[in-house]
Amino acid sequence: MLALVDCDQFYVSCERIFRPELRNKPVAVLSNNDGCVISRSPEFKALGIKMGAPYYQVKDVIYKSGGTVFSSNYELYGSMSERVMSTLRMFAQDIEIYSIDEAFIKLPSVKEYNIIAENIVQRVKKWTDIPVKVGVAETKTLCKVAAELVKKERIENKFSVLIDREHIESVLGDFDIGDVWGIGWRLKNKLYRLGIKTAGQLCRYPEEKIKKKFGVNLLRTAMELKGIPCYTIETMPQPKKSLCYSKSFGKDVFDKKEMQESIVAYVEAITEKLRKGGQLASAVTVYITTHRFKNKELRYSNSYTLPLDFPSSNTQKILNTAKKCFETIFHEGYKYKKSGIILSGLIDDSMFCESLFCWQNEKSDKLDSVIDQINQKLGKGSIKLAGGGFSKNSNWKMRREYLSKHYTTDWSELLEIGE
């Protein structure tokens, strides 16, 4: 048996942990550059503001209702996610971290799945203060259905167990096909036109017709709904073939120096992630672009790729290559809105064999390692490259006007409790 553990309104829940006075009040979290609403509390949903609504359009409604908004605090959310996942490992060793707020776990062979599910809900809440819902079933897709059932039926104990086949068929008979894991709106519309509107109807549809019309992926979904496992727990994440780091700027950027600062900062972040994953990159791509939806007469977008002499994770070496790419594509006179860097041709660092003509700078690698350790211990950005700029108000930096403190990742921003 498997269980899906899904955190409720994860971003909002993380913010409320350190601001208990906001519980039972409208709270939302905004996307990059404080653009759109991406996480809402139930009280916020009651205001009628939809997910993805542009903040500038709903700002007045929020404040008139006494609501509170936060900029995305990814450092805080990542830290709290690690705490939730660590708690789940107390229940099982086989765990697949599906996203920042979801995980599949393989449960032991017992009969008391209700008790296990209830214990998971209670312990995660007690140890992290993050509310979760749990769906237990024989397959991943049915686990998703069970977790969605908790939400749809507002089950108070926050868990649902789908074991009995008769019960499962009853649930699937009323379960909209568009709410099934892996079925997007395009596929939903195609299925609707065939008269397949519920998960139960998909289960009854001939398998050979599903495969012929829609391919093997939908066939696997149908089989999983029938209780036949097609997707196993992936305890080891698949190695990445490429890494990308990019952000839209808080304001339009004209200045070449500011654009260069963004590239330096992105290289610093992406190479740290590369080393953390134990990988080396073979090529570097830099891209820059103006607004896509305005200034038609001044639109510009370009990218350039250069191979590395040999696979590397060294910050300075990758930065030197990225600067060459940037110099090739940058042109004055444009309002730039976004830049980014892509590392491709990734290989495991243990598989790379150095030769007489291909040796790495040992001192630079040791320096990278020391910097990573310091930043991990003292907080992200404690040591950084001067070329990335020191001003918090640089135009290229992401706009986060409503950012909460980094309560769990920065010593200077620890929660203070009054007398």
Side-chain angles (χ1 to χ4, degrees), residues 263 267 284 286 306 317-327 341:
I263 298 300
V267 167
V284 179
V286 172
L306 282 175
K317 182 172 183 59
I318 291 175
L319 177 58
N320 291 338
T321 305
K323 284 181 176 180
K324 293 177 183 178
C325 294
F326 174 76
E327 291 290 344
I341 181 168

Side-chain angles (χ1 to χ4, degrees), residues 292-417:
R292 289 186 297 167
F293 305 112
K294 63 181 182 179
N295 301 322
K296 293 182 179 180
E297 71 282 2
L298 291 176
R299 284 186 185 177
Y300 174 71
S301 180
N302 206 349
S303 65
Y304 196 77
T305 302
L306 282 175
L308 295 169
D309 296 334
F310 52 85
S312 176
S313 63
N314 181 257
T315 298
Q316 195 59 54
K317 182 172 183 59
I318 291 175
L319 177 58
N320 291 338
T321 305
K323 284 181 176 180
K324 293 177 183 178
C325 294
F326 174 76
E327 291 290 344
T328 303
I329 60 177
F330 179 81
H331 292 298
E332 300 279 359
Y334 291 97
K335 295 180 180 180
Y336 290 101
K337 185 59 180 175
K338 188 176 185 180
S339 66
I341 181 168
I342 301 171
L343 301 182
S344 54
L346 304 189
I347 63 170
D348 192 292
D349 57 5
S350 63
M351 297 176 62
F352 179 65
C353 219
E354 296 179 357
S355 69
L356 178 64
F357 304 101
C358 154
W359 52 274
Q360 301 227 38
N361 188 323
E362 188 176 348
K363 288 185 178 179
S364 294
D365 289 342
K366 286 183 177 179
L367 178 62
D368 284 339
S369 177
V370 171
I371 290 174
D372 290 344
Q373 291 176 32
I374 292 174
N375 285 335
Q376 184 176 6
K377 185 176 182 179
L378 301 182
K380 188 176 180 181
S382 297
I383 295 182
K384 60 182 180 179
L385 297 174
F390 292 96
S391 173
K392 293 183 178 180
N393 299 317
S394 297
N395 289 331
W396 66 269
K397 294 190 176 180
M398 188 166 57
R399 184 172 65 250
R400 295 198 282 182
E401 296 180 6
Y402 312 103
L403 184 65
S404 57
K405 292 183 178 181
H406 299 92
Y407 298 103
T408 59
T409 58
D410 191 329
W411 286 105
S412 64
E413 297 187 355
L414 288 175
L415 183 66
E416 297 181 4
I417 302 176

Side-chain angles (χ1 to χ4, degrees), residues 78-317:
S79 172
M80 293 307 302
S81 175
E82 290 177 2
R83 296 180 185 214
V84 171
M85 302 309 167
S86 296
T87 305
L88 295 181
R89 288 190 175 90
M90 302 295 293
F91 293 91
Q93 293 301 311
D94 292 334
I95 174 171
E96 176 186 339
I97 300 175
Y98 183 65
S99 67
I100 193 171
D101 62 346
E102 288 180 287
F104 289 100
I105 61 175
K106 187 175 181 180
L107 299 178
S109 299
V110 296
K111 294 183 179 180
E112 298 82 9
Y113 292 112
N114 286 339
I115 297 176
I116 293 178
E118 187 174 18
N119 286 341
I120 291 173
V121 173
Q122 292 177 352
R123 188 175 298 181
V124 173
K125 178 64 177 176
K126 183 178 180 179
W127 287 11
T128 70
D129 207 23
I130 298 289
V132 299
K133 54 181 179 285
V134 178
V136 178
E138 293 178 309
T139 69
K140 282 185 171 182
T141 306
L142 282 175
C143 283
K144 282 278 191 176
V145 171
E148 188 67 19
L149 210 61
V150 175
K151 177 181 175 182
K152 285 180 176 292
E153 298 188 359
R154 298 181 180 179
I155 299 175
E156 290 186 8
N157 52 23
K158 294 293 183 177
F159 68 86
S160 176
V161 179
L162 295 180
I163 297 179
D164 180 70
R165 194 64 219 175
E166 186 175 341
H167 178 215
I168 293 173
E169 290 176 359
S170 174
V171 169
L172 297 183
D174 296 323
F175 199 84
D176 190 276
I177 194 67
D179 293 331
V180 174
W181 185 39
I183 295 182
W185 63 271
R186 285 194 179 90
L187 181 54
K188 171 188 171 181
N189 291 337
K190 290 180 181 178
L191 292 170
Y192 263 46
R193 287 195 290 270
L194 285 176
I196 303 175
K197 297 184 177 181
T198 68
Q201 289 174 328
L202 179 63
C203 289
R204 294 190 294 271
Y205 202 76
E207 292 182 2
E208 61 276 8
K209 289 186 178 181
I210 294 176
K211 185 176 181 180
K212 184 177 180 180
K213 292 183 178 180
F214 301 100
V216 69
N217 286 333
L218 186 61
L219 176 59
R220 287 172 179 163
T221 297
M223 294 177 70
E224 287 241 325
L225 290 172
K226 295 176 183 178
I228 303 172
C230 295
Y231 302 107
T232 58
I233 292 283
E234 296 181 6
T235 56
M236 293 295 292
Q238 294 296 318
K240 297 181 186 295
K241 296 181 179 180
S242 64
L243 282 177
C244 177
Y245 196 99
S246 67
K247 290 180 181 178
S248 295
F249 301 146
K251 299 177 182 178
D252 292 337
V253 175
F254 300 86
D255 186 62
K256 182 179 181 180
K257 182 183 176 183
E258 282 199 88
M259 289 290 289
Q260 286 177 323
E261 285 182 1
S262 72
I263 298 300
V264 173
Y266 296 168
V267 167
E268 203 170 20
I270 202 170
T271 51
E272 182 182 357
K273 189 174 183 180
L274 186 68
R275 291 189 292 271
K276 189 176 181 180
Q279 291 184 298
L280 306 173
S282 302
V284 179
T285 300
V286 172
Y287 69 88
I288 56 178
T289 182
T290 59
H291 282 275
R292 289 186 297 167
F293 305 112
K294 63 181 182 179
N295 301 322
K296 293 182 179 180
E297 71 282 2
L298 291 176
R299 284 186 185 177
Y300 174 71
S301 180
N302 206 349
S303 65
Y304 196 77
T305 302
L306 282 175
L308 295 169
D309 296 334
F310 52 85
S312 176
S313 63
N314 181 257
T315 298
Q316 195 59 54
K317 182 172 183 59

Side-chain angles (χ1 to χ4, degrees), residues 21-41:
E21 74 275 13
L22 295 178
R23 296 184 182 185
N24 301 318
K25 292 184 179 180
V27 178
V29 175
L30 305 175
S31 63
N32 291 350
N33 291 311
D34 297 336
C36 303
V37 175
I38 58 171
S39 182
R40 306 168 295 165
S41 68

